[in-house]
Amino acid sequence: MGNVGIKGTAYCLNFAPELALHYGGTPSQERRAKPDSEYLQTLPGRAQSYEEAAGYAPNKVYIGAMSVDDLARAPTPWLEHPGAPERYGRFGEIMPEDEFLGFLDICDVFDLIWLEKDFAAAVREKLAGDPAVGESQLARLEAGHEAAEIAQAVEKHGALPLYSKGSVAGCCRRAHDSDENLSAHVMLENLACKASGVLALLHMIKNCGLEPSDIDFVVECSEEAVGDVMQRGGGNMAKAVAEIAGCANASGFDVRGFCAGPAAAVIAGAGMVASGLRKNVAVVGGGSLPKLYMNSRDHIKKGLPALENCMGSFAILLVPDEGSLPVIRLDSIGKHTVGAGAAPQAITSALTFEPLARLGLRLTDVDKYAPELHNAEITLPAGAGNVPEANYKMIAALAVMKGQLKREEIPQFAAERGIPGFVHTQGHIPSGVPYMGHACDALAAGTIRRAMIIGKGSLFLGRLTNLADGASFIMEGPGRGAPRAAASAAAGVSREDVREMLLDALSELAANLQKS
């Protein structure tokens, strides 16, 4: 099977500390169990401002306002070295929370989101200045409701209040009187996921210079379940997102696999393009409202700001390979099989060593690995360690076991072939795919030759199996691909091997000349 081109990407953050405070999973559970706890009393005072979030280096990397190389060189801790706030980057934006509430209303087709009329008017003016929001989206924003009408919906009809600057700015109503799957809480989670996905898709369409009607198919890969009491999780988030973005010629479906979902969705979309079934396939991932402030209890204990305040989203456009775009190779996809086992070494081998070995490539033939790219300033205080760094060391240790690397070279391997974690702990969002935009830039510029995107999923969270899951794929620069690599492998040595041996020889020669 041939390669598939990556025409464009988009990455967005929706700043949402008040949604996090009231409806994030950890604060919500605490509020039910201990409504007067010290944690809940302290949490509001630990919220970042929008300016702080927009100046925070990892957030800027996510939207493309800063490169991963710049992040690696930036002074740490990043929290103590804020930069200038930037709303927009090469890939997308960090949308303020009031505008996100307005965007929720834009994405609502069942009159579930009610905004107070003065708030709606103010937010309309702000959203009109967003370069990704078109007239068709803006026209969907309702004029709003009286504050008394919103208060009645909250007090008597099970609606959830929506806050802006500490005051009620609207509400999310339930979609059914008795079906808990259509409760206001579930509908708010699903609408937030949908809205964040729509924003990323709109930015991707703009970045690619396309019309929404050019999109043939959408594959959506968030973790939310869409349905009712008869079919919880039936879907289809993909078509719901495509509808609001104006993709009238698109169909779509959802791919779910916890944190492995995005990598699996990219592979599914690429397979459709490579087979000729679809021409322009958008892979979209909306964010997770319950994951907001997930580790905030630990952040509060350690005197830190509550950092998990943004819903992440992304969109990637896959097209036929025409020789001018970075590509995904489909001749060797990594998969974690049922029989592979759940040991970290087995998972790492299945997703990295095995697909590379099938191509005659070594673990050292990949310039950049992108596994779980969680921001360590979020995970370390919570006791989860530096997740990306642990992955790089695991891959390096595997290379040592396979005789492809010396033990003393492990730290250098991790430093040079790894990427600093820069992604919010949104479960599926950090899993490799956020690096694809940066990888496309580096591959097109020729600063790297090959990257590997790795997604790993914890299926046991659903209590149906103890299995883990995973998927991976290789990215290469324009004009590189399977036919040439396959021919080199058939000859017993890859082109990269020859190049590296020549470079090593030249380096040794230069060193000898300097000594003499």
Side-chain angles (χ1 to χ4, degrees), residues 68-69 326 368 435-449 477:
V68 291
D69 292 334
K368 291 292 183 182
Y435 178 60
M436 289 182 69
H438 291 284
C440 285
D441 289 345
L443 289 166
T447 55
I448 66 171
R449 302 164 300 161

Side-chain angles (χ1 to χ4, degrees), residues 28 75 82 156 201 222 263 278 291 301 319 353 371 408 411 415 439 442 451 472 479 486 495 499 502:
S28 293
K156 297 183 179 181
L201 180 56
S222 65
R278 315 287 183 192
K291 297 282 179 62
K301 287 179 181 178
V319 299
F353 173 77
E408 59 269 22
S472 64
R495 293 172 63 92
R499 181 176 180 274
L502 287 172

Side-chain angles (χ1 to χ4, degrees), residues 362 493-494 496-507:
R362 302 172 301 176
V493 63
S494 71
E496 287 70 32
D497 288 336
V498 174
R499 181 176 180 274
E500 288 187 7
M501 285 187 286
L502 287 172
L503 288 174
D504 289 343
L506 288 170
S507 297

Side-chain angles (χ1 to χ4, degrees), residues 223 257-259 457-469:
E223 294 181 329
F258 285 94
C259 303
S458 303
L459 303 187
F460 48 83
L461 294 172
R463 305 303 193 270
L464 294 178
T465 176
N466 282 314
L467 293 174
D469 194 19

Side-chain angles (χ1 to χ4, degrees), residues 212-419:
S213 58
D214 293 329
I215 305 299
D216 299 316
F217 205 85
V218 176
V219 183
E220 205 278 340
C221 55
S222 65
E223 294 181 329
E224 306 305 82
V226 179
D228 62 10
V229 68
M230 302 298 179
Q231 51 211 2
R232 181 75 172 117
N236 178 321
M237 183 70 81
K239 292 192 80 169
V241 168
E243 176 188 21
I244 305 301
C247 303
N249 292 325
S251 186
F253 57 57
D254 299 343
V255 169
R256 297 289 182 264
F258 285 94
C259 303
V266 171
I267 293 168
M272 285 190 281
V273 173
S275 69
L277 284 176
R278 315 287 183 192
K279 184 178 179 182
N280 294 319
V281 174
V283 179
V284 179
S288 173
L289 175 56
K291 297 282 179 62
L292 295 177
Y293 281 180
M294 181 171 63
N295 295 294
S296 57
R297 183 181 284 108
D298 295 296
H299 296 159
I300 297 303
K301 287 179 181 178
K302 293 178 172 60
L304 298 170
L307 282 174
E308 297 158 304
N309 51 23
C310 290
M311 290 184 61
S313 61
F314 65 83
I316 297 152
L317 185 63
L318 304 175
V319 299
D321 175 23
E322 297 177 352
S324 62
L325 298 171
V327 299
I328 295 171
R329 290 188 62 162
L330 294 178
D331 52 347
S332 189
I333 295 295
K335 66 174 182 178
H336 180 252
T337 62
V338 170
Q345 180 181 320
I347 297 172
T348 302
S349 181
L351 298 181
T352 60
F353 173 77
E354 292 175 18
L356 289 168
R358 288 194 293 269
L359 298 176
L361 298 173
R362 302 172 301 176
L363 290 161
T364 51
D365 288 324
V366 174
D367 297 298
K368 291 292 183 182
Y369 286 94
E372 302 156 286
L373 298 174
H374 297 273
N375 176 358
E377 291 193 344
I378 292 174
T379 57
L380 280 169
N386 188 323
V387 179
E389 184 178 81
N391 276 278
Y392 306 140
K393 290 180 178 179
M394 179 69 71
I395 296 169
L398 181 62
V400 172
M401 290 178 59
K402 300 297 182 181
Q404 299 177 2
L405 193 71
K406 296 177 181 178
R407 184 175 297 276
E408 59 269 22
E409 294 174 327
I410 288 178
Q412 182 181 359
F413 180 100
E416 292 180 353
R417 301 178 192 274
I419 303 153

Side-chain angles (χ1 to χ4, degrees), residues 177-189:
D177 290 342
S178 59
D179 184 352
E180 62 183 11
N181 301 284
L182 297 172
S183 66
H185 194 96
V186 173
M187 294 312 303
L188 181 58
E189 290 180 2

